[in-house]
Amino acid sequence: MLGCVWNCLRRIPWWVWLILAAAALLFAIIAYFSGGIAALTLPLWIEAALIGFGSTFGATLLLCLTQCTGRR
């Protein structure tokens, strides 16, 4: 299972990772300036970074997990 996910992530071209990083930065900036999530007691910059990273790279990882488990 982990080998399948790793191979899926390795098949993604390098330039797509740059686009994902830019999208993560954009989501982090939006989360930072919108005030983030009030229920979290983390500093706002950490919360914004987690939202940006989780929304882009997390979605990519979930896509690979979905492809490897055969559910579509």
Side-chain angles (χ1 to χ4, degrees):
M1 176 73 164
L2 289 176
C4 177
V5 172
W6 179 249
N7 287 334
C8 176
L9 292 174
R10 285 182 39 209
R11 283 193 304 264
I12 297 173
W14 66 269
W15 54 269
V16 173
W17 290 111
L18 294 177
I19 294 171
L20 285 171
L25 180 64
L26 179 67
F27 287 154
I29 289 170
I30 291 170
Y32 184 81
F33 287 113
S34 67
I37 301 170
L40 295 178
T41 58
L42 297 171
L44 187 57
W45 67 273
I46 292 175
E47 188 177 323
L50 288 174
I51 290 170
F53 182 77
S55 62
T56 55
F57 295 107
T60 305
L61 182 64
L62 286 176
L63 179 67
C64 283
L65 280 171
T66 304
Q67 287 178 357
C68 288
T69 59
R71 296 180 187 167
R72 294 183 186 192

